[in-house]
């Protein structure tokens, strides 16, 4: 990474595609009147590691595309934008990148004080500025989406920063980690892990006999548990695997099942033409098949989905289709409730499960794992 701008890595490009999809769905959900006609008084988006707003090849950074897509959103006429109601907060610690970001935003969008939404750009430390800026924006008690996109600098303490956001009624948070993040901190700066997990008692040094993949699974589970303790009811963890280059690890916390559904819907509609995919870190060695292969012309059901369903049935040999679907939604990285049916039909046809009653499969059908020979 050079001092000011750097090359857009494939994992970052893939992550950007996911953010765009997710935010395209998030803004109208939060800003349009609810079915009962209620208009939320305030909606806040915070990017605590904002970057300079551009990459070396000219590609735009997250603050630029987030603001640009909001201002040109297809549902704009129903979103009731106002400076009081909609706030975007960007924090950047590096002075040159901060200056670049301000210039980039101003060049593209004109005077920020004249926009139909409030844009706050601050130079400083994410850990110190996040809460005061949310308070100054009067964000609390209203929806907040907070992105901690540090890729190697996650020194945002669980308490009070993440905990305060997680306890807010309609919050969501996205935290990204680059490869080796945890193992490096474990050796060089264990105090940072204490901050990130909320105390030394919440993490354990990784086992040197484990494979790098197993260690990552362990760390992500530990971080997922931290988000749960902080107050996020639902937590998703997944790997963003670009067509080439290093993966990126992402943990998403939400207070609402609908947030998890929206994130998964975004994953399934991201353009993956360059071979990018999302993987479940808990599936070891399963061929990670691209999303579009879910129901390929040969009728093959994704191996990762089958393996996860099998793992769940091994823990819970008798369950219902509904419970299995909920588990897929809330506990796996990318699968949705509706995927349960295809998986159990496939496993039934292979003689691995029995479905009762026979005939039409409904959400109350019971699924029983059959013991092997
Ligand atoms: C991975 S980049 C962000 C990229 C940007 N979100 C995007 O997707 O285009 C991380 C940025 O965070 C900044 N940064 C690092 N530590 C920080 C901290 N403690 N507080 C605020 N910003 C920080 C870095 O200077 C860098 O510009």
């Amino acid at each position: 990474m050079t001092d000011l701008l750097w090359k857009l890595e494939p994992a970052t490009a893939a992550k950007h595609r996911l953010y765009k999809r997710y935010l395209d769905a998030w803004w109208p959900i939060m800003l349009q009147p609810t079915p009962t006609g209620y208009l939320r008084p305030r909606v806040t988006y915070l990017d605590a590691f904002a970057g300079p707003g551009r990459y070396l090849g000219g590609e735009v950074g997250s603050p630029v595309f987030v603001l640009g897509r909001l201002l040109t959103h297809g549902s704009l006429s129903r979103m009731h934008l106002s400076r009081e109601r909609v706030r975007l907060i960007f924090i950047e610690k590096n002075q040159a990148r901060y200056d670049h970001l301000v210039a980039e935003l101003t060049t593209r969008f004109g005077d920020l004080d004249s926009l139909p939404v409030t844009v706050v750009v601050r130079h400083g430390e994410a850990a110190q500025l996040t809460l005061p800026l949310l308070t100054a924006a009067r964000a609390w008690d209203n929806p907040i989406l907070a992105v901690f996109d540090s890729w190697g600098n996650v020194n945002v303490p669980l308490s009070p920063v993440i905990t305060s956001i997680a306890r807010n009624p309609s919050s969501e948070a996205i935290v990204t980690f680059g490869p080796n993040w945890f193992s490096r901190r474990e050796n060089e700066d264990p105090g940072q892990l204490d901050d990130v997990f909320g105390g030394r008692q919440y993490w354990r040094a990784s086992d040197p006999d484990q494979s790098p993949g197993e260690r990552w699974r362990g760390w992500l589970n530990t971080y997922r548990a931290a988000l749960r303790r902080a107050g996020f009811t639902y937590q998703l963890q997944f790997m963003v695997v670009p067509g080439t280059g290093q993966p990126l690890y992402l943990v998403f916390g939400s207070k609402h099942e609908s947030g998890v559904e929206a994130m998964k819907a975004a994953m399934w509609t991201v353009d993956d033409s360059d071979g990018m995919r999302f993987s479940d870190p808990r599936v070891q060695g399963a061929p990670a098949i691209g999303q579009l292969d879910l129901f390929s012309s040969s009728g093959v059901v994704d191996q990762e989905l089958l393996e996860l369903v099998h793992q769940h049935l091994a823990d819970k040999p008798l369950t219902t289709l509904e419970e299995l679907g909920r588990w897929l939604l809330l506990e796996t990285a990318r699968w949705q409730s509706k995927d349960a049916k295809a998986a159990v039909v496939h496993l039934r046809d292979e003689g691995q499960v029995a479905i009762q009653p026979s005939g039409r499969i409904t959400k109350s059908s019971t699924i029983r794992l059959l013991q092997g020979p």
Side-chain angles (χ1 to χ4, degrees), residues 1 6 12 15-16 19 47-52 55 60-63 91-94 97 124-127 149-151 153 155:
M1 205 184 270
W6 60 94
T12 309
K15 177 194 72 182
H16 284 174
Y19 287 2
D47 183 348
F49 294 79
Y55 290 82
V60 295
S62 57
I91 304 170
E92 171 56 51
K93 180 180 176 179
N94 177 295
R97 290 179 193 157
E125 175 69 51
D149 205 0
S150 61
W151 199 358
N153 296 292
N155 43 11

Side-chain angles (χ1 to χ4, degrees), residues 253-325:
S254 178
K255 307 277 285 186
H256 299 280
E257 205 168 307
S258 55
V260 179
E261 278 166 357
M263 178 55 82
K264 289 202 167 173
M267 291 163 94
W268 284 90
T269 50
V270 160
D271 169 18
D272 61 356
S273 52
D274 62 355
M276 77 161 281
R277 55 195 160 77
F278 302 104
S279 276
D280 198 312
R282 97 185 66 197
V283 176
Q284 208 178 356
I289 297 171
Q291 298 164 6
L292 298 178
D293 290 344
L294 175 58
F295 301 111
S296 65
S297 49
S298 61
V300 175
V301 178
D302 193 297
Q303 282 302 312
E304 184 192 91
L305 171 63
L306 292 176
E307 175 161 343
L308 285 164
V309 168
H310 209 279
Q311 277 181 18
H312 186 56
L313 290 170
D315 285 344
K316 212 167 174 203
L318 183 65
T319 188
T320 62
L321 189 69
E322 184 175 26
E323 188 279 333
L324 183 61

Side-chain angles (χ1 to χ4, degrees), residues 183-237:
S183 357
R184 275 205 310 269
R185 293 307 175 289
E186 178 186 11
N187 298 323
E188 292 163 15
D189 191 357
Q192 258 199 41
L193 292 187
D194 297 347
D195 279 353
V196 164
F197 293 125
R200 184 66 53 103
Q201 68 274 36
Y202 294 118
W203 65 276
R204 238 180 294 130
S206 52
D207 176 352
D209 292 336
Q210 285 183 329
S211 69
E214 283 167 333
R215 266 181 253 161
W216 258 101
R217 255 190 304 287
W219 286 121
L220 287 180
N221 275 330
T222 308
Y223 194 66
R224 214 174 153 222
L227 285 191
R228 195 176 314 126
R229 275 196 312 282
F232 282 115
T233 327
Y234 305 103
Q235 322 85 33
L236 281 184
Q237 57 185 20

Side-chain angles (χ1 to χ4, degrees), residues 18 148 244:
L18 177 66
F148 296 95
T244 54

